């Protein structure tokens, strides 16, 4: 399903960004945790996300909503 793939990409992008920002995990460790992607993919995804968050306020708002949604669904954020 296209919607499921899109949601999976969003969640993976959020995971990569948060893992790089809030842990000491290397790109290789993050790629091994996710599976099926290389450490260079982790690096480029992080850089693109960080640049977008810094430059585009709308992107930042949508990204934050997505992260909150992921955390709520995981039971790690208040409803």
């Amino acid at each position: 399903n296209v919607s499921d793939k899109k949601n999976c990409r969003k969640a993976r992008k959020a995971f990569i960004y948060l893992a790089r920002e809030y842990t000491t995990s290397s790109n290789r460790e993050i790629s091994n945790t996710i599976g099926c992607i290389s450490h260079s993919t982790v690096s480029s995804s992080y850089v693109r996300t960080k640049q977008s968050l810094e430059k585009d306020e709308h992107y930042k708002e949508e990204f934050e909503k997505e992260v909150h949604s992921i955390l709520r669904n995981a039971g790690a954020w208040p409803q």
Side-chain angles (χ1 to χ4, degrees), residues 6-77:
K6 185 176 179 180
N7 287 337
C8 184
R9 283 192 306 270
K10 285 181 179 182
R12 183 174 63 198
K13 184 185 294 188
F15 177 81
I16 290 169
Y17 179 79
L18 295 171
R20 284 285 310 270
E21 286 289 309
Y22 297 105
T23 73
T24 59
S25 298
S26 68
N27 290 336
R28 188 167 308 279
E29 291 169 324
I30 295 167
S31 71
N32 288 341
T33 299
I34 294 171
C36 300
I37 64 170
S38 69
H39 66 281
S40 61
T41 301
V42 170
S43 178
S44 60
S45 176
Y46 172 74
V47 168
R48 282 193 311 271
T49 301
K50 186 171 178 73
Q51 288 173 344
S52 295
L53 290 169
E54 291 170 351
K55 293 179 182 178
D56 185 340
E57 190 61 35
H58 177 72
Y59 180 87
K60 182 177 179 180
E61 290 171 9
E62 292 301 312
F63 185 83
E64 289 173 351
K65 285 180 193 175
E66 188 65 33
V67 168
H68 291 161
S69 174
I70 292 166
L71 293 173
R72 262 194 313 278
N73 290 336
W77 194 266

